[in-house]
């Protein structure tokens, strides 16, 4: 807990985005994986699919729960983390690293303004959040 | 299971112990129970590999005693209580007249005229009303649920662990048998039963002894690799064995024959509630069966998902998850009898999409209980 890197942007649905030039890498936060418990299944879109900001792009399932995944930003999917098919537990083990989910080509950079900074996300968790 | 928000959740005598251990507490059947401590998958594998400790004190215990006890129990339950020797345990069912299941339970013969019934936590009040309402005779009922703690010690290391702490030779307790003794100084019924498919014991003790017994077991089991285990892993462990969970796989709308529980229905024992209906279902053959299936496509089946064949609905999923030991997505559900054979290909509708599955041999993981 309390592990929210400052270089990431966050959603209130507990996804993160790391801006890499005009692309963004996407995953779920340490808080999200902690709440889910052992992740046993991740369903992601195919490369070439389009995702829209705060629309669902996939599903993550733990032993007990099914949760929708929401896109922090709009764009085309240029890469998905295929390793999660075989090793969904990477989402628990390394949510900001090997547990990443999507790389998207960002279609509207101004959407970043709608995302939370790390301190804002932590504030959200501490108050309204859950 | 839906929770009634107006009713405060009940707590076992070990509630504070779980909170202190950092367990995630969740509502279950009207109780506030530990879902997990270290994590469901890790706890599950610890039970299969070594030993796990479960607080299942939320279960209910009813005692019935008196010269008429046996005569009262026979028409209430589906299994033959008369076949139980003192010191023996029996899995059984309470049924409604239409064959629907009131609850599944274990029956202990404590003495010639004295029995204990262990029932599901969520059903305690309803079961109590049912058995005391139906069960009239020369006997006395006593609801001992609140004063009784129940700890389960399950896994290949359970026998050694309980044996070191008990004043009786637990290696002499056969499967579905029990002995009275002390464990770590606490008087207990030491029962060789469980809900995991592993060898192990369930220990019934006084509620006020629960905490000292819990810590004594954790302490003595340290070198065995003991872990406290929550309801999450209890559920995946029983799923790998295809043990039915009341409220998920069986309830008042399901009958024992379609649930594969015909082996605890003894039609030859004489009259019991539900007998006529069950006899008819048995004679005609059930129209659906509770099967175990494994996902062929990558998807997780969940309770309530539809089972399809060629787009047509042929059944419903009653339990489904990832099986941490078998490392596959597995489930159970009611499927039309025509599609219920091992090897039959079925589909499970997951988020609007038909995903391939197949009926497989169960248990999914070979049982390690010490039979005979």
């Amino acid at each position: 807990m309390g592990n929210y890197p400052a270089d990431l942007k966050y959603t209130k649905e507990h996804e993160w985005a790391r801006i890499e030039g005009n692309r963004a890498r996407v995953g779920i936060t340490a808080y999200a994986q902690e709440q889910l418990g052992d992740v046993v299944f991740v369903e992601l879109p195919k490369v070439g699919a389009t995702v829209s900001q705060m629309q669902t792009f996939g599903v993550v399932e733990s032993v007990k729960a099914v949760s929708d995944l929401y896109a922090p930003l709009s764009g085309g999917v240029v890469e998905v983390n295929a390793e999660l098919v075989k090793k969904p537990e990477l989402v628990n083990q390394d949510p900001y690293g090997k547990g990443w989910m999507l790389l998207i080509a960002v279609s509207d950079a101004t959407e970043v303004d709608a995302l939370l900074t790390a301190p804002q996300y932590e504030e959200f968790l501490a108050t309204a959040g859950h | 299971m839906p929770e009634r928000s107006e009713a405060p959740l009940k707590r076992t005598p070990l509630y504070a112990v779980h909170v202190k251990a950092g367990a995630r507490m969740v509502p279950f059947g009207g109780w506030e129970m530990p879902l997990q401590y270290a994590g469901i998958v890790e706890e599950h594998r610890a039970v299969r590999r070594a030993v796990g400790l479960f607080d299942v004190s939320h279960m209910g215990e009813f005692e019935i005693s008196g010269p008429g006890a046996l005569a009262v129990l026979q028409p209430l339950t589906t299994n033959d209580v008369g076949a139980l020797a003192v010191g023996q345990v029996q899995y059984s069912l309470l049924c409604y007249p239409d064959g629907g299941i009131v609850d599944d339970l274990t029956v202990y013969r404590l003495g010639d005229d004295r029995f204990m019934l262990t029932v599901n936590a969520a059903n305690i009040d309803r079961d109590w009303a049912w058995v005391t309402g139906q069960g009239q005779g020369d006997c006395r009922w006593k609801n001992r649920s609140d004063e009784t703690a129940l700890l389960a010690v399950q896994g290949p290391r359970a026998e050694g662990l309980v044996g070191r702490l008990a004043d009786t030779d637990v290696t002499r307790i056969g499967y579905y048998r029990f002995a009275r003794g002390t464990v770590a100084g606490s008087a207990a019924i030491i029962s060789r039963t469980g809900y995991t498919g592993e060898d192990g014991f369930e220990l019934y003790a006084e509620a006020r002894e629960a905490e000292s017994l819990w810590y004594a077991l954790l302490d003595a089991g340290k070198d065995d690799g003991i872990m406290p285990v929550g309801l999450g892993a209890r559920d995946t462990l029983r799923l790998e064995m295809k043990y039915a969970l009341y409220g998920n796989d069986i309830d008042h709308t399901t009958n024992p024959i379609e649930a594969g529980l015909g082996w605890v229905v003894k039609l030859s024992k004489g009259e019991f509630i539900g007998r006529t209906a069950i006899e008819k279902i048995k004679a005609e053959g059930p129209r659906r069966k509770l099967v175990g299936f494994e996902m062929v496509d990558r998807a997780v089946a969940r309770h309530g998902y539809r089972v399809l064949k060629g787009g047509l609905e042929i059944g419903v999923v009653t339990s489904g998850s990832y099986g941490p030991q078998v490392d596959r997505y597995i489930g159970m559900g009611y499927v039309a009898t025509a599609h219920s054979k091992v090897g039959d290909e079925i589909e499970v509708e997951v988020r609007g999409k038909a995903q391939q599955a197949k009926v497989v041999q169960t248990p999914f993981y070979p049982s390690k209980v010490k039979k005979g």
Side-chain angles (χ1 to χ4, degrees):
Chain A
M1 299 290 268
N3 174 19
Y4 305 104
D7 61 323
L8 305 184
K9 301 288 189 182
Y10 299 86
T11 73
K12 289 183 177 180
E13 298 290 346
H14 312 291
E15 290 82 13
W16 56 262
R18 181 184 287 118
I19 312 300
E20 302 174 356
N22 50 13
R23 293 179 166 185
R25 199 169 294 271
V26 173
I28 65 169
T29 67
Y31 174 82
Q33 68 80 18
E34 167 83 22
Q35 286 300 303
L36 280 165
D38 294 310
V39 171
V40 297
F41 180 82
V42 182
E43 188 174 282
L44 299 174
K46 291 192 163 57
V47 170
T50 304
V51 299
S52 304
Q53 188 172 39
M54 294 327 288
Q55 299 296 305
T56 62
F57 71 80
V59 167
V60 59
E61 300 198 35
S62 65
V63 177
K64 296 300 284 181
V66 185
S67 295
D68 285 326
L69 295 163
Y70 292 85
L73 298 162
S74 306
V77 176
V78 294
E79 211 181 317
V80 300
N81 187 356
E83 236 197 313
L84 295 185
V85 173
K86 283 258 164 65
K87 291 178 147 187
E89 65 270 21
L90 290 174
V91 174
N92 297 112
Q93 292 163 2
D94 192 7
Y96 303 116
K98 289 189 174 127
W100 70 278
M101 292 175 176
L102 300 181
L103 187 63
I104 57 182
V106 177
S107 58
D108 179 359
T110 65
E111 283 181 354
V112 174
D113 299 339
L115 300 176
L116 305 176
T117 64
Q120 285 170 335
Y121 179 62
E122 287 193 68
E123 172 77 14
F124 169 71
L125 290 181
T127 56
H130 35 95
Chain B
M1 189 155 299
E3 299 295 336
R4 269 182 245 132
S5 53
E6 69 268 23
L9 294 171
K10 288 186 272 190
R11 294 171 172 179
T12 77
L14 291 168
Y15 172 82
V17 170
H18 303 317
V19 170
K20 201 169 153 196
R24 179 171 307 169
M25 305 301 288
V26 295
F28 173 83
W31 293 75
E32 193 169 5
M33 295 297 292
L35 173 68
Q36 59 173 68
Y37 304 81
I40 294 173
V41 171
E42 193 180 345
E43 291 164 27
H44 180 116
R45 290 176 182 154
V47 173
R48 294 270 182 252
R49 182 188 61 242
V51 57
L53 179 61
F54 305 68
D55 174 20
V56 283
S57 302
H58 58 318
M59 307 280 290
E61 294 85 10
F62 306 156
E63 243 182 61
I64 175 172
S65 57
L70 176 61
V72 164
L73 284 179
Q74 282 290 39
L76 270 176
T77 59
T78 61
N79 209 337
D80 184 4
V81 191
L84 262 185
V86 175
Q88 215 176 354
V89 191
Q90 181 180 74
Y91 181 59
S92 192
L93 301 168
L94 305 173
C95 282
Y96 291 107
D98 70 354
I101 300 171
V102 178
D103 203 358
D104 64 336
L105 72 164
T106 46
V107 180
Y108 287 70
R109 189 160 201 166
L110 304 176
D112 283 333
D113 292 334
R114 199 156 152 244
F115 300 84
M116 178 174 75
L117 277 50
T118 302
V119 303
N120 282 298
N123 298 340
I124 292 174
D125 294 345
R126 197 182 62 198
D127 287 355
W128 178 251
W130 179 258
V131 297
T132 55
Q134 307 286 332
Q136 308 289 342
D138 190 7
C139 66
R140 256 192 70 190
W141 284 100
K142 194 167 187 325
N143 187 343
R144 295 177 54 97
S145 303
D146 289 342
E147 65 208 62
T148 307
L150 180 53
L151 306 191
V153 188
Q154 301 277 300
R157 300 280 195 135
E159 185 182 63
L161 170 59
V162 176
R164 287 199 300 279
L165 296 175
D167 67 345
T168 40
D169 181 4
V170 301
T171 64
R172 297 171 65 98
I173 304 171
Y175 186 56
Y176 265 70
R177 300 213 166 237
F178 68 91
R180 286 181 180 277
T182 66
V183 179
S186 296
I189 290 177
I190 307 167
S191 171
R192 199 160 204 145
T193 48
Y195 196 47
T196 61
E198 295 298 325
D199 182 31
F201 298 91
E202 292 177 302
L203 308 173
Y204 295 81
E206 294 289 329
R208 61 173 184 275
E209 310 262 344
E211 191 167 328
S212 64
L213 183 55
W214 175 270
Y215 283 124
L217 286 159
L218 275 188
D219 198 46
K222 214 169 276 172
D223 291 343
D224 295 306
I226 196 171
M227 292 187 89
V229 182
L231 291 187
R234 182 169 160 85
D235 191 42
T236 52
L237 286 158
R238 69 93 194 166
L239 175 61
E240 283 186 340
M241 301 313 300
K242 198 185 166 245
Y243 291 159
L245 171 62
Y246 194 90
N248 272 47
D249 312 294
I250 52 174
D251 61 23
H252 68 282
T253 69
T254 67
N255 67 65
I257 304 303
E258 64 188 10
L261 298 175
W263 62 280
V264 292
V265 178
K266 300 292 157 61
L267 294 171
S268 58
K269 79 166 178 172
E271 269 316 306
F272 59 90
I273 301 169
R275 184 181 194 279
T276 309
I278 295 169
E279 196 167 18
K280 184 161 176 276
I281 295 160
K282 200 174 172 187
E284 290 170 356
R287 53 181 190 84
R288 59 177 195 171
K289 284 184 181 172
L290 186 63
V291 302
F293 63 83
E294 162 183 327
M295 298 305 299
V296 176
D297 287 337
R298 287 192 58 81
V300 188
R302 302 282 184 181
H303 178 82
Y305 286 8
R306 298 199 304 161
V307 179
L308 312 172
K309 178 73 184 179
L312 293 175
E313 187 166 346
I314 58 159
V316 64
V317 174
T318 54
S319 291
S321 187
Y322 167 72
Q325 194 69 32
V326 298
D327 193 24
R328 290 194 300 267
Y329 302 113
I330 57 176
M332 357 186 342
Y334 287 99
V335 171
T337 303
H339 304 283
S340 64
K341 289 190 308 298
V342 169
D344 282 353
E345 292 176 357
I346 56 176
E347 296 132 32
V348 176
E349 188 182 55
V350 182
R351 294 181 283 280
K353 212 172 144 202
Q355 304 280 8
Q356 286 298 321
K358 68 169 188 235
V359 178
V360 296
Q361 196 74 250
T362 53
F364 298 96
Y365 178 78
S367 172
K368 302 290 195 290
V369 300
K370 293 250 161 71
K371 287 210 172 151

